[in-house]
């Protein structure tokens, strides 16, 4: 389950979610060799889907230890190797980065509130 809206073309909730993930990946023009960063990845659904179905190297970040653990298990149970997909429990502003670290970046329905 993910916290984003589905795209309706079929009847099951699972299919609605897959439709949404497919549209997102297509809009990103994901392909093998891409390095995807999902900011606020939640339960790791997009990371898992993208690595499994598009062959990209996918990294997600979340602040939740529980979400990171669940998502890491989801990656594993979907047969995606840890060298192709991973979830980092970190604030996205603290992620290791550098020129070319990621060539595709996405954030699905994540909002941030900052108080001065």
């Amino acid at each position: 389950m993910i916290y984003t809206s589905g795209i309706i073309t079929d009847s099951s909730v699972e299919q609605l979610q897959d439709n949404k993930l497919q549209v997102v990946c297509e809009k990103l023009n994901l392909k093998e060799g891409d390095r995807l960063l999902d900011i606020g990845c939640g339960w790791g659904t997009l990371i898992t889907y993208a690595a499994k179905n598009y062959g990209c190297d996918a990294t997600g970040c979340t602040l939740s230890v529980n979400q990171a653990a669940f998502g890491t298990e989801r990656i594993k149970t979907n047969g995606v190797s840890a060298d192709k997909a991973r979830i980092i429990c970190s604030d996205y502003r603290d992620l290791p980065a550098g020129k070319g670290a990621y060539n595709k970046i996405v954030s699905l329905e994540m909002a941030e509130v900052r108080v001065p």
Side-chain angles (χ1 to χ4, degrees):
M1 181 60 94
I2 55 178
Y3 296 129
T4 61
S5 53
I7 294 188
I8 300 172
T9 60
D10 301 286
S11 59
S12 74
V13 171
E14 293 81 8
Q15 190 59 53
L16 296 177
Q17 292 172 353
D18 283 351
N19 294 345
K20 169 80 176 257
L21 298 171
Q22 180 181 356
V23 167
V24 169
C25 291
E26 288 175 1
K27 289 197 177 280
L28 288 167
N29 193 28
L30 277 183
K31 55 190 174 300
E32 193 168 340
D34 281 338
R35 295 169 314 282
L36 173 67
L37 172 63
D38 181 4
I39 298 171
C41 71
W43 305 102
T45 307
L46 175 61
I47 293 303
T48 304
Y49 184 90
K52 184 175 183 176
N53 294 290
Y54 290 84
C56 66
D57 183 278
T59 301
C61 69
T62 180
L63 293 174
S64 169
V65 173
N66 291 338
Q67 285 182 329
F70 182 93
T72 299
E73 185 61 28
R74 168 179 275 154
I75 290 166
K76 185 175 161 183
T77 59
N78 274 272
V80 179
S81 67
D83 66 326
K84 290 299 285 181
R86 72 220 43 87
I87 297 178
I88 299 169
C89 189
S90 171
D91 186 300
Y92 69 92
R93 294 168 289 192
D94 298 328
L95 287 174
K99 187 173 182 163
Y102 307 103
N103 67 334
K104 307 281 173 84
I105 300 174
V106 67
S107 181
L108 291 181
E109 300 181 30
M110 183 196 88
E112 177 182 6
V113 177
R114 295 185 67 188
V115 178

